[in-house]
Amino acid sequence: MRTSIATVSLSGSLTEKLTAAARAGFDGVEIFENDLLASPLAPEEIRARCADLGLTVDLYQPMRDIEAVPEEQFARNLRRARHKFALMDRLGADTVLVCSSVSPLAEADDALAAEQLSRLADLAQDFGVRVAYEALAWGRHVSTYDHAWRIVESAGHPALGTCLDSFHILSRSTGPEDLDGIEDIPGEKIFFLQLADAPPLGMDVLQWSRHHRCFPGQGGFDVAGLVRRVLRTGYAGPLSLEVFNDVFRQAEAGPTAVDARRSLLVLQEEVGVADLPAPLAPTGIAFTELVTRDAEPVTALLGRLGFTRTARHRGKPVELWEQGDARILVNTGPAAPADARHRSGGRTSVDGTTLAAIGLESPDPAAAARRAEALLAPVLPRRRGAEDAPLDAVAAPDGTELFLCATGRPATPDWRADFEDLPHPAAGPRDLRVDHVALTQPWHHFDEAVLFHRAVLGLAARESVDVADPYGLLRSRAVTNADGGVRLPLTVGAAPGDGTAHARHIALATDDVVAAARRFTEAGGRLLPIPANYYDDLAARFPFEDGELETYRALGILYDRDEHGAFRHCYTHTVGRVFFELVQRDAGHQGYGAVNAPVRLAAQHAVR
Ligand SMILES: O=C(O)c1ccc(O)c(O)c1
Ligand SMILES: [Mg+2]
């Protein structure tokens, strides 16, 4: 199916918007009137620019407050329409969107609305234009898709059809039966289909629509369910994204357009009109890679956590540190060239150590990379160095490198083969594993990051939680595989500030966090000090065994509990932009200690 995007969904000048849409692979655009009015290009030039870029102009919009008005007002509306239709001829657009009226002049008179829309369609026909009538969810008298369709149907004009917009429909829907009427509309009378999702917000619908729409798959609506119904009518027009969103208005148009196209690809897969390589969820974290100019602070920290240096890369200044099943690469080389092409997320940092890459253990790395590529993830060079084993890797939206890899599987290239063993003392039996890797995201890429990790990597998104930071608010949403072997909480930071909210961390699971915390401090490590008030509150919230709370208080261990059991955790100090967490997770507990995060963040600010 053809795909299209409304210029209002992207930031920048009209030229920037068109370029971004074309680069991301859209077939067409909806041109928003404001974008045209503000452009120095004549309509003919815009038309030529679109043609050069391989874009069709699928819709011109919006025309407002047209129908069901007194005759003298309607005469003025027709005069306005004549100008717009002439403009559309110059622009090469053959469909105009007319939103249901919000004017106080409009009357609750469907027969009048139908008659005037029919006269508008007569005029449109003279210009070779079709009119697509859309019910705004806040329209004065017409606010539902079925009402708009009844008016269009009774007008019975060949140049008049309806425009369905998933936001207006789903924001007002109270159950699937509200949508049954869609399939009563003949497909050829649906002149246009606009798609947007939105998070469930319980607010005024106009404000919700104008500020919080997002791309399908990023909110809470069943957009795919709606599209399935529309396709059953025989609708053959484009799938077009129309997203009004405060963040996208500010973010760079290029990445937003790619995010938008990815969302449509996933939607097309869901409704069965696109054939993508199947998702293959990773089964575990093979390694995490830290990049630093000065390895000493971070390797000292790793040593205190019980890690030993076990191997060294054959061709590059990268060391492998291991403890139990946890593996960490410490890279003191220059940032990979891939970096420059992507947005700085984990890597670019003035203050040293960053978490720049993750190795995801994949059931079939090459197949997983093919899906990633089909979903527009930038594929990184398979070999980082001439002698390296081939490794499939893609860049996440923020530039973090994601290696899709195999560890110790004879038939598959093994990242470990690039490393030569170093003599090392036998490690003490601490048996750490990676519980989760928390990836802070740039503020304007959060929804994109969640969709990327879900769609590209085949992970499931958990619920979104808000966390208060002393200097802002964080939003956090974990993506995980089915058995919890991969847990990646994605967090969007507050204002830049001192960077506390932007540090990433590796959480190491242990069966005994008290013992692990003691060994760490006995080895000279410093745990994040937690205020006494926190423990006084814990005592009020939960019953503890004798001495248990005092132990937590002495070490700085935080505590949470749900119906499945407890979550005990503590934090190391921060090195550059990375810190570590020690975690004891009772089987079945699915959280990350979000209730404790404000205390942890405040403590980290205090240390700085
Ligand atoms: O918010 C609006 O006014 C508006 C305009 C045009 C649309 O297609 C729409 O869905 C909303
Ligand atoms: Mg719309």
Side-chain angles (χ1 to χ4, degrees), residues 51-64:
D52 287 349
L53 290 166
L55 294 170
T56 51
V57 181
D58 293 333
L59 189 80
Y60 183 71
Q61 76 143 322
M63 271 176 43
R64 301 183 189 275

Side-chain angles (χ1 to χ4, degrees), residues 131-134 148-149 152 160-164 185 189-192:
V131 175
Y133 182 53
E134 170 193 61
W149 164 238
V152 167
L160 179 67
T162 187
C163 168
L164 299 180
I185 309 175
K189 293 303 278 183
I190 302 174
F191 281 3
F192 212 72

Side-chain angles (χ1 to χ4, degrees), residues 170-216:
L170 296 173
S171 63
R172 299 195 47 124
S173 162
T174 53
E177 61 287 351
D178 291 353
L179 308 179
D180 290 345
I182 290 174
E183 292 172 65
D184 299 335
I185 309 175
E188 70 276 7
K189 293 303 278 183
I190 302 174
F191 281 3
F192 212 72
L193 174 61
Q194 295 178 315
L195 301 175
D197 201 343
L201 287 175
M203 64 189 289
D204 170 68
V205 72
L206 184 150
Q207 299 300 334
W208 191 16
S209 176
R210 295 253 173 100
H211 302 281
H212 300 285
R213 289 189 184 205
C214 53
F215 296 124

Side-chain angles (χ1 to χ4, degrees), residues 560-566 586-590:
D560 191 17
R561 170 171 280 286
D562 67 10
E563 66 276 23
H564 303 294
D586 283 358
H589 187 100
Q590 295 302 333

Side-chain angles (χ1 to χ4, degrees), residues 417-551:
D418 293 338
F419 288 78
E420 60 192 1
D421 290 335
L422 292 173
H424 59 270
R430 299 200 196 175
D431 285 331
L432 298 178
R433 347 175 257 291
V434 173
D435 180 86
H436 60 271
V437 182
L439 300 174
T440 49
Q441 301 293 312
W443 67 274
H444 49 300
H445 299 306
F446 190 68
D447 291 336
E448 176 185 5
V450 174
L451 179 65
F452 178 94
H453 288 84
R454 195 164 64 72
V456 172
L457 301 180
L459 299 172
R462 308 293 163 189
E463 76 182 307
S464 174
V465 290
D466 290 337
V467 171
D469 173 277
Y471 302 100
L473 191 73
L474 310 188
R475 193 146 68 98
S476 180
R477 190 166 187 194
V479 290
T480 69
N481 72 349
D483 69 3
V486 177
R487 299 175 193 265
L488 305 174
L490 305 171
T491 302
V492 68
D498 63 8
T500 297
H502 299 270
R504 297 180 153 191
H505 75 269
I506 301 170
L508 301 163
T510 162
D511 295 331
D512 185 345
V513 73
V514 171
R518 286 207 173 112
R519 275 195 292 256
F520 176 68
T521 54
E522 281 157 15
R526 274 182 297 127
L527 287 169
L528 187 70
I530 302 299
N533 292 347
Y534 171 79
Y535 294 97
D536 295 343
D537 180 60
L538 265 193
R541 285 163 57 212
F542 301 108
F544 288 98
E545 311 273 303
D546 271 359
E548 189 183 354
L549 191 59
E550 285 60 45
T551 304

Side-chain angles (χ1 to χ4, degrees), residues 116-251:
Q116 292 182 340
L117 285 172
S118 182
R119 284 162 64 196
L120 179 76
D122 273 340
L123 179 65
Q125 216 167 18
D126 294 343
F127 288 85
V129 166
R130 309 187 308 165
V131 175
Y133 182 53
E134 170 193 61
L136 293 179
W138 55 90
R140 186 165 163 86
H141 300 297
V142 177
S143 57
T144 60
Y145 78 89
D146 46 324
H147 192 179
W149 164 238
R150 281 199 305 278
I151 291 170
V152 167
E153 188 180 26
S154 75
H157 195 293
L160 179 67
T162 187
C163 168
L164 299 180
D165 178 320
S166 66
F167 179 88
H168 297 300
I169 298 172
L170 296 173
S171 63
R172 299 195 47 124
S173 162
T174 53
E177 61 287 351
D178 291 353
L179 308 179
D180 290 345
I182 290 174
E183 292 172 65
D184 299 335
I185 309 175
E188 70 276 7
K189 293 303 278 183
I190 302 174
F191 281 3
F192 212 72
L193 174 61
Q194 295 178 315
L195 301 175
D197 201 343
L201 287 175
M203 64 189 289
D204 170 68
V205 72
L206 184 150
Q207 299 300 334
W208 191 16
S209 176
R210 295 253 173 100
H211 302 281
H212 300 285
R213 289 189 184 205
C214 53
F215 296 124
Q218 297 178 341
F221 291 156
D222 180 13
V223 182
L226 181 131
V227 171
R228 274 191 214 101
R229 289 175 186 268
V230 175
L231 294 183
R232 283 200 286 267
T233 68
Y235 172 75
L239 299 178
S240 188
L241 295 168
E242 187 200 26
V243 167
F244 307 86
N245 179 293
D246 296 352
V247 174
F248 297 157
R249 280 181 195 278
Q250 294 181 61

